[in-house]
Amino acid sequence: MRALVTGIAGFAGSHLADYLTSHTECQVWGVVLEAPLAPLPADVKLLYGDLRDRDAVVAILRAAMPDVIFHLAAQAAVAISWRDPWDTLETNIHTQVNLLSVMAELGLGARIIVVGSEQEYGAVRPADLPIDEDTPLRPTSPYAVSKVTQDLLGLQYFLSHGIPAIRVRPFPHIGPRQRPDFVAAAFAEQIAQIEAGERDAVVKVGNLAAERDYTDVRDVVRAYWLLALHGEPGEVYNVGSGVARSVRSLLEGLIALSHAEIRVEVDPARFRPVDMPLTVCDPRRLKAATGWEPEIPFQQSLQDILDYWRGRVSQVTRPEV
């Protein structure tokens, strides 16, 4: 099987590359804009191109001729979408349109995993919890609107062109390699800098009361693979643990793994314009289709995130010999 991963050098993409090369017999192709900063598995075949360029998408799909496509390339930060809404909308929607329309033009019968987000559900009402796939979509950010559009484009091309699109709505995923635009990585980076003496012993935080369904990224990408094999084209699947944890518990868990004496300071700039108090996934459809269960304990995720940022900080601060 030939698998194509867009955004393969990103957070989820790099973990999916690890999984596919170590647990499957797939020949793995990846799409990047430029040379990756971090190494990818040696047997990944890289293709370079901007997915907003339709001609580039034609060349990429003709080169890879994949049996399955995992479309992970995106502008993925909610906060960035508030600062520059059009860039997020243009990037996420344009790339999705190009992939689906070129697949139709080439008659490519590959399954495509269209990656949306739990942000699509947006302003969830208490009566909607836990959130299943029939929960109304009430997006509250430009990023969420872009993901709703990607999601519905997948459905539209399934209905209009028979493209075997399988849509996923992952809930927040955490793990090593995530950028500090996201909460777990933001906390871990600050703690690692404090341990290294690179900043005052203060972690700056936003809303700690919010409760989220955090799942390790390595479990999330395994769900993508299982859905590529067993998911129903045209269907949509939530991906999440089904357990809600507060942002405060995430922070306290990371601080407990540190030897440093750390204070916490609220930074109003870190609050979102809209922030739901509680979101939690109903993953029953995913489990029924694939048998998937999360395997990596929350505490292990936190340890791996902090160790990753300790390594990153030490690389930056290590004196030259």
Side-chain angles (χ1 to χ4, degrees), residues 133 166-169 227 231-232 235-239 285 289:
E133 292 84 355
I166 298 164
R167 299 169 290 139
V168 299
R169 295 174 187 157
L227 285 169
E232 183 70 27
E235 190 57 273
V236 61
Y237 298 88
N238 285 343
V239 179
R285 184 178 293 177

Side-chain angles (χ1 to χ4, degrees), residues 209-224:
E211 295 180 78
R212 299 289 180 262
D213 188 333
Y214 296 109
T215 305
D216 193 286
V217 65
R218 292 161 289 192
D219 280 329
V220 170
V221 299
R222 182 167 51 84
Y224 294 169

Side-chain angles (χ1 to χ4, degrees), residues 183-193 254 302 305-307 309-310 313:
V183 65
F187 293 160
E189 180 187 39
Q190 291 180 75
I191 292 169
Q193 290 170 341
L254 287 167
L302 297 185
I305 294 165
L306 186 54
D307 287 344
W309 279 102
R310 284 167 171 160
V313 170

Side-chain angles (χ1 to χ4, degrees), residues 91-166:
T91 296
N92 294 353
I93 297 171
H94 200 172
T95 59
Q96 190 69 71
V97 168
N98 282 347
L99 278 168
L100 292 167
S101 64
V102 172
M103 289 177 70
E105 176 186 301
L106 298 180
L108 187 63
R111 286 186 165 219
I112 179 169
I113 301 297
V114 175
V115 179
S117 168
E118 50 80 32
Q119 290 286 322
E120 296 178 53
Y121 296 112
V124 176
R125 298 168 182 167
D128 294 328
L129 298 171
I131 300 166
D132 66 20
E133 292 84 355
D134 295 322
T135 301
L137 306 182
R138 305 183 186 96
T140 58
S141 70
Y143 169 75
V145 171
S146 77
K147 286 296 173 178
V148 169
T149 307
Q150 286 188 250
D151 187 325
L152 294 183
L153 281 166
L155 176 60
Q156 180 246 299
Y157 269 84
F158 167 72
L159 295 172
S160 63
H161 292 79
I163 298 294
I166 298 164

Side-chain angles (χ1 to χ4, degrees), residues 22 24 49-50 62 102 113 130 143 159 179 185 194 199 208 239 242 245 247 250 263 280 307 313:
S22 61
T24 79
D50 186 340
R62 281 181 170 161
V102 172
I113 301 297
Y143 169 75
L159 295 172
R179 301 196 318 266
I194 290 167
R199 64 182 294 144
L208 295 180
V239 179
R245 294 181 172 87
V247 179
L250 189 154
R263 293 184 294 112
V280 62
D307 287 344
V313 170

Side-chain angles (χ1 to χ4, degrees), residues 66-90:
D67 301 295
V68 60
I69 300 169
F70 298 90
H71 181 39
L72 299 174
Q75 193 300 97
V78 174
I80 290 174
S81 82
W82 285 111
R83 295 196 296 269
D84 191 349
W86 177 241
D87 180 70
T88 297
L89 291 165
E90 198 274 336

